[in-house]
């Protein structure tokens, strides 16, 4: 079957450009875990229950009569928004702890989305807390709001830290606006973002010194302190202990760097006990290459082949300074990796058959995933020019081994051929049983968004669409 701007390569034979891995044909498909939505719902239920528990003491300790005056209502609103803000801050840090149970149940993309949404709510709650409390106290003391702020800063314990924490949060909220975020260098934005741990520390004291529900010893205060300790423990476990264990166990090093095209390289890694690496095709890790000038940056890349017990491979497209620099990695370079993360795996499928859609370097997790899905998948690979098609021979070989139909859809997104192919009708024409398949989609954000719209219009249920956008 041939279409304008494409050629079909279904069930062609060939050999991989790099041999030595186990044959894809013998990789058994993983049992579907089908835990995506259920896992998400369970985590959501726990988080909502936590929010109820956080504000319950206020509810129980605040009689209706005490809210008769405007001043009392304002200070009460200050207290309740303070409790909500304190709780949401803990949730934010927990979501960033990389705790495996959260990564498995939610997936990194979902966690990132929640983190962004909760971040906005947290900022609103903090600003409301500051405004209500200041106005309420100012009315109570018959002072102006500014004068009251001065009194709080001067006379109240830990209040300077609390104001600084609110300021940092406002700054983080500002840099979270998409246009500002994308204008900043990623590393600057990321390091600014790490100051949210400081917010946790700076905001801690004033809650216990002045919080109506927390300053008295008792079960509420103890529960709140335990919640802080648990979140801190999750952070240490997910961010320090697990990565340390992983890297001591596997001791990864660069074995070779191979050019795949004019702007893409594959980095082969070796290490110890790679047969015990718990890596599913489609997952990613955050990689640090331990040389002067590189060690301080961790960048996410998805291995472009499923685990084979002997080597790992990253296939990296040059888009900026760091990726350009990776072309010069010397064999033997030590590598520090954190992960694996992500639910873009065969274990999260809901159907027996799959359609994989990759755009550009988005082929990397798709290529690995293909090895672990049951035979009979279909793959659509979208690329601007034939030179942008990566791992071509390998894909043809895999197509043969896994009885997969592969379509290369080549051309600019303005060309009528590819546009037609990626439309709901075009997709249905290529894969008539589209709605009966899980769809795994990875590529640039624009392609992903447009394709999700086309898939939805073609009738594919949202729960069958699995996304990886290469954006965290
Ligand atoms: C889950 C995931 C898996 C990925 N897998 C692959 C892959 O297999 N192959 C591949 O070629 N690319 C992959 N990427 C994209 C890759 O991480 C970026 O292209 C790379 O980090 C860009 O770094 P740079 O300094 O060269 O470019 P820059 O010009 O600095 O960055 C380009 C864009 O990449 C993103 N980015 C930059 N640095 C980071 C960072 N440290 N962490 C997260 N995002 C960052 C930002 O959105 C930035 O706007 C993946 C991204 C994600 C999120």
């Amino acid at each position: 079957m041939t279409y304008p701007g494409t050629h079909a390569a279904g069930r062609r034979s060939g050999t991989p450009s790099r041999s030595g891995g186990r044959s894809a044909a013998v990789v058994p498909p993983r049992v579907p875990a089908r835990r995506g939505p259920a896992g998400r719902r369970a985590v959501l239920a726990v988080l909502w229950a936590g929010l109820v528990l956080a504000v319950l003491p206020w509810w129980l300790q605040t009689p209706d009569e005490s809210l008769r005056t405007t001043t009392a209502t304002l200070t009460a609103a200050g207290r309740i928004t303070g409790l909500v803000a304190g709780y949401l801050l803990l949730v934010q840090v927990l979501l960033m702890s990389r705790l495996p149970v959260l990564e498995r149940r939610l997936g990194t993309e979902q966690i990132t989305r929640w983190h962004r949404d909760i971040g906005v709510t947290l900022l609103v709650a903090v600003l409301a807390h500051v405004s209500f409390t200041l106005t309420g106290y100012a009315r109570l003391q018959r002072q102006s709001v500014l004068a009251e702020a001065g009194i709080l800063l001067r006379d109240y314990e830990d209040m300077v830290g609390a104001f600084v924490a609110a300021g940092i949060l406002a700054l983080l909220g500002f840099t979270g606006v998409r246009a500002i975020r994308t204008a900043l260098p990623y590393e600057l934005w990321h390091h600014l973002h790490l100051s949210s741990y400081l917010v946790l520390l700076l905001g801690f004291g004033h809650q216990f010194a002045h919080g109506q529900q927390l300053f008295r010893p008792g079960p509420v205060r103890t529960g709140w302190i335990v919640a802080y300790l648990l979140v801190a423990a999750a952070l240490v476990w997910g961010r320090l202990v697990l990565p340390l264990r992983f890297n001591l166990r596997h001791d990864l090093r660069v074995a070779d760097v191979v050019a795949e095209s004019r702007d893409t390289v594959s980095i082969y890694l070796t290490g110890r006990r790679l047969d015990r690496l718990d890596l599913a095709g489609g997952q990613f890790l955050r990689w640090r290459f331990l040389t002067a000038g590189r060690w301080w940056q961790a960048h996410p890349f998805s291995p472009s082949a499923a685990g084979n017990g002997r080597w790992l491979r990253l296939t990296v497209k040059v888009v900026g300074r760091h990726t350009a620099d990776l072309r010069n990695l010397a064999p033997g370079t030590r590598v520090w990796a954190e992960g694996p993360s992500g639910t873009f795996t065969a274990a999260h499928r809901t159907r027996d058959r799959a359609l994989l859609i990759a755009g550009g370097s988005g082929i990397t997790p798709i290529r690995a995933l293909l090895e672990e899905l049951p035979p009979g998948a279909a793959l659509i690979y979208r690329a601007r020019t034939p030179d942008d098609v990566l791992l071509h021979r390998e894909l043809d070989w895999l197509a043969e081994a896994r009885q997969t139909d592969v379509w290369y859809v080549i051309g600019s997104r303005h060309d009528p051929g590819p546009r037609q192919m990626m439309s709901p009708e075009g997709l249905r024409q290529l894969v008539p049983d589209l709605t009966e398949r899980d769809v795994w989609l990875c590529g640039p954000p624009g392609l992903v968004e447009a394709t999700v719209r086309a898939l939805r219009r073609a009738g594919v249920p949202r729960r069958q669409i699995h996304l990886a956008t290469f954006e965290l």
Side-chain angles (χ1 to χ4, degrees):
M1 198 165 19
T2 311
Y3 292 87
T6 73
H7 70 272
R11 300 189 180 124
R12 271 214 250 130
S13 63
T15 47
S17 54
R18 185 94 181 178
S19 58
R22 68 187 169 191
S23 157
V26 300
V27 179
R30 287 171 184 246
V31 179
R34 296 173 203 273
R35 70 161 106 72
R40 236 188 331 267
R41 276 198 290 271
V43 176
L44 254 185
V46 171
L47 293 184
W48 276 110
L51 182 61
V52 171
L53 275 182
V55 292
L56 193 63
W58 174 87
W59 179 266
L60 295 176
Q61 293 168 12
T62 313
D64 286 353
E65 315 80 76
S66 68
L67 297 177
R68 291 241 168 84
T69 64
T70 312
T71 306
T73 310
L74 282 169
T75 43
R79 278 180 195 134
I80 199 165
T81 45
L83 288 170
V84 171
Y87 175 71
L88 290 183
L89 185 58
L90 283 181
V91 171
Q92 283 291 74
V93 177
L94 184 66
L95 286 177
M96 288 296 106
S97 66
R98 303 203 185 135
L99 214 52
V101 63
L102 290 178
E103 298 259 337
R104 263 197 315 272
R105 282 179 179 267
L106 298 177
T108 313
E109 299 249 333
Q110 179 79 52
I111 289 180
T112 310
R113 228 171 303 135
W114 282 13
H115 186 70
R116 259 180 229 154
D117 295 346
I118 294 175
V120 176
T121 319
L122 170 61
L123 184 59
V124 171
V126 167
L127 294 179
H129 171 59
V130 175
S131 320
F132 286 136
T133 310
L134 268 180
T135 335
Y137 278 34
R139 282 176 70 104
L140 202 65
Q141 312 280 348
R142 298 181 195 287
Q143 299 274 4
S144 72
V145 169
L146 264 187
E148 185 58 35
I151 293 171
L152 285 179
L153 282 170
R154 203 179 49 238
D155 300 344
Y156 284 60
E157 203 185 327
D158 293 322
M159 210 45 98
V160 176
F163 268 81
V164 174
I168 295 177
L169 267 181
L171 178 71
L172 291 183
F174 179 66
T175 58
V177 175
R178 200 177 170 86
I180 296 166
R181 188 187 154 181
T182 44
L184 290 175
Y186 181 88
E187 295 301 329
L188 174 63
W189 175 84
H190 179 68
H191 286 109
L192 274 177
H193 220 74
L194 291 183
S195 59
S196 49
Y197 300 130
L198 204 60
V199 173
L200 200 63
L201 280 181
L202 290 172
F204 183 84
H206 91 289
Q207 300 175 73
F208 296 97
H210 313 294
Q212 181 82 0
Q213 277 66 45
L214 301 180
F215 79 90
R216 252 180 266 116
V220 178
R221 184 181 163 102
T222 309
W224 206 256
I225 293 176
V226 168
Y228 261 85
L229 291 178
L230 286 178
V231 169
L235 205 59
V236 171
W237 183 254
R239 292 267 183 162
L240 289 178
V241 177
L242 290 181
L244 196 62
R245 199 173 68 178
F246 179 96
N247 286 285
L248 288 178
R249 176 182 287 171
H250 296 300
D251 189 23
L252 296 171
R253 282 157 202 264
V254 173
D256 203 358
V257 179
V258 177
E260 296 285 355
S261 73
R262 65 191 142 70
D263 62 358
T264 306
V265 289
S266 279
I267 302 166
Y268 287 81
L269 306 170
T270 52
R272 283 199 307 254
R273 300 197 222 167
L274 292 187
D275 53 326
R276 312 247 318 255
L277 189 65
D278 188 16
L279 169 72
Q283 288 190 301
F284 72 95
L285 297 93
R286 294 171 173 89
W287 305 89
R288 274 177 210 275
F289 295 92
L290 303 183
T291 60
R294 294 188 185 109
W295 64 270
W296 57 278
Q297 296 191 43
H299 287 250
F301 297 108
S302 319
S304 58
N308 58 41
R310 279 177 288 158
W311 45 262
L312 290 169
R313 184 185 61 188
L314 314 180
T315 301
V316 176
K317 183 178 165 70
V318 173
V319 295
R321 198 148 2 132
H322 183 73
T323 41
D325 186 42
L326 293 184
R327 291 181 294 196
N328 307 319
L329 277 173
T333 301
R334 295 185 98 110
V335 182
W336 176 272
E338 288 173 39
S341 304
T343 50
F344 196 72
T345 71
H348 288 81
R349 70 188 196 271
T350 64
R351 298 286 173 145
D352 291 332
R353 274 167 300 168
L355 164 62
L356 306 164
I357 304 178
S361 57
I363 193 65
T364 52
I366 295 269
R367 151 72 181 82
L369 183 59
L370 186 56
E371 283 186 64
E372 297 189 344
L373 286 167
L379 166 62
I380 298 174
Y381 188 178
R382 182 77 186 83
R384 210 164 331 141
T385 69
D387 283 349
D388 293 320
V389 172
L390 302 174
L391 312 172
H392 193 167
R393 285 200 301 150
E394 220 172 286
L395 286 171
D396 287 352
W397 165 76
L398 260 179
E400 171 79 15
R402 309 292 295 178
Q403 293 124 51
T404 300
D405 288 320
V406 184
W407 287 274
Y408 298 96
V409 181
I410 311 292
S412 140
R413 67 194 141 116
H414 305 297
D415 291 351
R419 278 167 70 106
Q420 201 282 329
M421 302 282 325
M422 301 307 288
S423 68
E425 300 71 36
L427 290 170
R428 259 198 304 255
Q429 218 175 340
L430 278 186
V431 188
D433 61 349
L434 185 69
T435 55
E436 299 303 313
R437 292 176 183 250
D438 276 309
V439 183
W440 310 87
L441 177 54
C442 182
L447 173 91
V448 169
E449 279 161 31
T451 312
V452 168
R453 276 199 301 275
L455 288 166
R456 297 289 287 120
R457 286 215 300 275
V460 181
R462 182 64 189 84
R463 67 175 176 283
Q464 281 167 231
I465 304 176
H466 311 264
L467 302 177
T469 53
F470 279 6
E471 244 193 349
L472 290 181

